[in-house]
Amino acid sequence: MAHIVVASAERTIDAPADEVYQYLADMQLHSRFLPPPFYDFQVEQGGVGTGSVVRFKINFAGGVRELRMQVTEPEPGRTLVQTDTNGSGLVTTFTVTPQGEQALVNITSRFDGETGVAGFVERIIAPRRVHRIYAKELARLDAHAREQRVG
């Protein structure tokens, strides 16, 4: 039986929530925030918010996975969801919560984990690794937001 693996990170971003959400919803701009191990990012369809489809690769845990993500907005302006259409079970949710002139951004991913011993190890290691990757993504998002306020 497969297990669901959950990993997340959050950070306060120095910009109003509506601006931050727009940075995340614009897939081409969003790609600039992705740190290694993400690469080969392409917008296949749309480009902003619901209906967008993006493809990218991730070098993770000793292997490369190609992901094709369908974008939805269950709560436009607050929640953006990317769901892998390649069958991995990966769902990544970006939640933007206003905090005065700033925004709290949470990135949470859920995916179908491995079974057996590999799954046990994955449930221990993957959340920490993904947390570090998302922390870098959020730092890049914050740096972009700060640049926009200065420029």
Side-chain angles (χ1 to χ4, degrees), residues 20-35 38-56 69 71 80 82 94 137 140-141 144 148:
V20 172
Y21 188 85
Q22 290 305 311
Y23 301 153
L24 293 170
D26 180 331
M27 294 298 114
Q28 206 59 47
L29 181 58
H30 190 150
S31 71
R32 296 183 199 164
F33 311 135
L34 298 175
F38 294 100
Y39 67 100
D40 197 21
F41 188 95
Q42 302 167 35
V43 175
E44 283 189 1
Q45 184 176 317
V48 179
T50 296
S52 296
V53 177
V54 297
R55 179 182 301 272
F56 56 86
M69 307 296 278
V71 179
L80 184 88
Q82 297 180 352
F94 299 83
E137 181 174 349
R140 289 176 174 208
L141 172 61
H144 176 80
Q148 299 310 302

Side-chain angles (χ1 to χ4, degrees), residues 65-79:
R65 284 194 169 183
E66 183 167 327
L67 300 167
R68 185 175 183 269
M69 307 296 278
Q70 175 76 45
V71 179
T72 57
E73 294 177 277
E75 293 180 67
R78 176 161 165 73
T79 307

Side-chain angles (χ1 to χ4, degrees), residues 91-110:
V91 177
T92 300
T93 302
F94 299 83
T95 306
V96 180
T97 304
Q99 291 188 326
E101 288 299 309
Q102 297 178 320
L104 179 66
V105 176
N106 177 285
I107 307 173
T108 299
S109 285
R110 291 173 164 70

